[in-house]
Amino acid sequence: MTTASVIAPAERAALTAGAGRHGKLYWALADAWVLCWRNIVQLPRMPELLVFSIIQPVMFVLLFRFVFGNAIQVPGGNYVNFLMAGIFVQTVAFGSVGTGIGLAEDLHKGIIDRFRSLPMARSAVLVGRTMSDIIRNGISVAAMLIVGLLVGFRPDNTWWAYLAAAGLLMLFSFAFSWISAVIGLSVKTVEAAQSGGFIWLFPLTFCSTAFVPLDQLPSWMQGFAEYQPVSVTVTAVRGLTMDYPVGNSAWLSLAWSIGILAVFVPFAVRRYRRAAAR
Amino acid sequence: MTTKPAVLAEGLHKSYGKTHALRGLDLTVQAGTVLGVLGPNGAGKTTAVRILATLLTPDSGHAEVAGFDVVRQANKVRAAIGLAGQYAAVDEYLTGFENIEMVGRLYHVPRAACRRRADELLERFDLVEAGGRPVKTYSGGMRRRLDLAASLVVSPPVLFLDEPTTGLDPRSRLSMWEIISELVREGTTLLLTTQYLEEADQLADRIAVIDEGLVIAEGTADELKSKVGGDHLEIVVRKGGDLAAAARALRPHLCAEPDIVPELRRVGGPVPGGAALLPEVVRALDAAGVPLEDLSVRRPSLDDVFLALTGKKTSTDDVEKEAA
Ligand SMILES: Nc1ncnc2c1ncn2[C@@H]1O[C@H](COP(=O)(O)OP(=O)(O)OP(=O)(O)O)[C@@H](O)[C@H]1O
Ligand SMILES: [Mg+2]
């Protein structure tokens, strides 16, 4: 062991001189960015997460494209063009479960004590996590797009429309991450965050227009399926990437996402305060 | 001249449901000194540290660290402290280097300076080779060292270490002591909890013994030792020897009932006279036919203090076994 005098408090003033130079908002964003960076750096080191966010949706693409797809009649006749919007939305919905799992891990594996003993913004743990999960979901969607193109998906619209579709998807992903955050912060174990995070997504994604046109769903389900957030987002993304009618679905999706954020952001913040205070 | 203490706790209470972890704890640490907080399992050491480090709010009572109130000015306190908790709070998936860098940036140190500090600290804590590996590949002792390194990124003026050497091998424990002593020489105020009396004796200027959420004794090591009184005689009986006979032979020479530890074949107790009475003791034991392995007279250890104060044994015996 060396005896370099590396711990002289005289250095301290120089090290922390920058802290006073910026306002609260600057540091709230900077701290969130540090944690976002940390979550992104972790990603390639968690192979099980990669399986979740890439391989599972790829299986769905292949399964629906080559197995179930032949049995489903869609307007326009080309199932893969109908399918991909559903896959994109399902991918980000399932991907949002990672938000809750990540927060549960932070809370139950001790690192939260480190964060709470540092002079960082309280909001950074939540904001950093939801930010990095947008990026993670973006990577998954890009991977799905490539797989889709390989199995015959041919988007057909303007770049503006694609951009709008990407924007809606990202907002939807962000909104669902906050729902997942509330679940992850409310449960006692990481495993519970995992199962609790998925369970409600199955009815939501399968009782929707993600894989089957509305009129082929059981009639009692149609009322729910038509207006729920997954369906309206799928319809909007489908219309913005292909020649399908968008109608008011883009506005409905926007309204759902904003509405979810308005409810679940404050809810998650309260949960976080309670969970971290122990 | 009286300066404001760096750490001040007055009448801290904290309950978890029906468990009263702290029942009116008072602590003071003067700037630039080391307070050793000593106590058995469940005494409330961790609870006290967590309150002072702003991780918990007390049910009642008041605490100040670096002149700031730990509840109302928590963020100011956080900028002035470093904490290495009882369980290492490090990120499993980041490397050692990345962990230190992240903590530095959350202390709002510029990125380049964080990286320089990370290199320095990894070297200081003997983690250079491991620094590029994810922490999930580290041993328990390496995690603890990384955890302490991370808490030193900004050389905080006040440092809280909760059982910093528990789980370290004897060599790492010694080098940890060395680092801690250096920090203190540089002017850091330190509050350190431990179950090892030896450690408190080595590192602390003052010692607070706590039990069941209350300080039951406070002072320098010498002050505490003098509470127990004079010298301490101890014999170790050779295997097969009769402990009861040994105790009988010693009794007239001790000022208290002999204390017998059968597992260590040890009999001992406080003596009035010091080393002068050794020949007499040897003759008495010889007459009783007790075969001796070892015999010593020593100043009371903090173990004796602890035993006298709480009626409980400490874990120093385990340390001795580990170190052997
Ligand atoms: N989160 C908690 N929930 C319930 N009880 C708790 C909690 N944390 C601590 N306690 C209780 O409070 C008391 C004091 O605990 P604390 O962790 O402060 O002891 P300690 O002195 O640090 O012990 P050790 O030497 O074992 O680390 C114990 O009786 C413990 O059971
Ligand atoms: Mg403890």
Side-chain angles (χ1 to χ4, degrees), chain B:
Chain B
M1 191 185 79
T2 51
T3 48
K4 209 169 178 176
V7 179
L8 175 71
E10 290 173 331
L12 291 181
H13 282 262
K14 180 75 193 179
S15 302
Y16 300 99
K18 286 202 184 96
T19 314
H20 300 290
L22 298 182
R23 300 182 304 156
L25 188 83
D26 300 312
L27 288 176
T28 312
V29 192
Q30 295 301 334
T33 69
V34 182
L35 177 73
V37 173
L38 201 60
N41 289 142
K45 302 182 295 295
T46 299
T47 306
V49 167
R50 290 175 65 86
I51 289 175
L52 294 171
T54 77
L55 299 183
L56 273 181
T57 42
D59 296 338
S60 67
H62 159 94
E64 278 177 26
V65 172
F68 302 112
D69 187 287
V70 296
V71 177
R72 282 179 290 111
Q73 299 169 295
N75 240 27
K76 292 225 165 70
V77 171
R78 291 178 189 128
I81 62 168
L83 167 70
Q86 185 166 3
Y87 305 101
V90 287
D91 191 308
E92 296 273 303
Y93 293 97
L94 296 187
T95 66
F97 183 91
E98 288 163 347
N99 263 288
I100 300 179
E101 184 190 355
M102 173 178 77
V103 171
R105 293 180 68 190
L106 294 172
Y107 270 114
H108 301 160
V109 173
R111 188 174 188 156
C114 288
R115 299 187 150 193
R116 206 180 58 238
R117 287 293 287 160
D119 279 329
E120 288 169 355
L121 288 164
L122 288 174
E123 189 176 339
R124 189 72 180 85
F125 284 84
D126 215 2
L127 289 169
V128 176
E129 278 124 272
R133 274 195 273 135
V135 170
K136 60 172 189 262
T137 67
Y138 283 25
S139 74
M142 290 160 79
R143 273 166 218 241
R144 292 213 65 112
R145 299 210 302 272
L146 178 65
D147 195 44
L148 182 57
S151 70
L152 297 178
V153 185
V154 295
S155 304
V158 181
L159 195 58
F160 296 105
L161 305 180
D162 194 359
E163 303 196 18
T165 64
T166 302
L168 294 190
D169 62 28
R171 186 178 137 265
S172 306
R173 176 171 298 150
L174 282 178
S175 63
M176 189 68 94
W177 284 1
E178 209 177 278
I179 292 172
I180 291 172
S181 309
E182 187 182 331
L183 285 168
V184 173
R185 273 199 305 281
E186 303 268 11
T188 305
T189 304
L190 173 63
L191 189 153
L192 158 106
T193 78
T194 181
Q195 299 182 34
Y196 304 133
L197 297 156
E198 189 195 357
E199 185 161 285
D201 212 355
Q202 276 276 329
L203 298 172
D205 298 309
R206 295 182 70 78
I207 295 170
V209 183
I210 71 172
D211 195 26
E212 296 178 7
L214 276 173
V215 175
I216 54 171
E218 220 238 291
T220 63
D222 282 337
E223 281 167 9
L224 291 181
K225 285 175 191 171
S226 69
K227 281 200 180 169
V228 189
D231 292 342
H232 203 90
L233 171 85
E234 210 170 81
I235 64 165
V236 178
V237 177
R238 206 177 299 149
K239 252 199 185 94
D242 185 352
L243 289 178
R248 268 195 308 276
L250 283 185
R251 190 172 290 129
H253 303 281
L254 301 179
C255 17
E257 266 307 289
D259 176 30
I260 307 176
V261 188
E263 305 85 33
L264 300 172
R265 301 190 307 280
R266 200 165 74 187
V267 184
V271 285
L277 102 172
L278 277 182
E280 241 178 278
V281 170
V282 173
R283 271 195 296 277
L285 287 166
D286 205 29
V290 176
L292 278 189
E293 186 165 298
D294 193 15
L295 170 141
S296 62
V297 175
R298 54 175 174 77
R299 299 271 304 128
S301 71
L302 276 170
D303 281 289
D304 306 321
V305 176
F306 199 85
L307 193 61
L309 288 171
T310 66
K312 289 174 200 160
K313 294 256 178 241
T314 68
S315 38
T316 309
D317 289 336
D318 304 333
V319 186
E320 280 164 8
K321 271 180 234 152
E322 258 173 58

Side-chain angles (χ1 to χ4, degrees), chain A residues 91-140:
Chain A
T91 300
V92 298
F94 280 17
S96 73
V97 177
T99 306
I101 297 174
L103 285 171
E105 278 191 343
D106 286 352
L107 277 185
H108 300 302
K109 296 217 169 138
I111 187 81
I112 197 78
D113 280 356
R114 170 66 63 203
F115 293 150
R116 297 202 333 113
S117 74
L118 294 172
M120 59 189 265
R122 297 289 83 174
S123 57
V125 172
L126 286 178
V127 177
R129 174 65 65 182
T130 46
M131 265 164 62
S132 64
D133 285 337
I134 293 186
I135 298 173
R136 179 169 54 79
N137 268 340
I139 296 170
S140 306

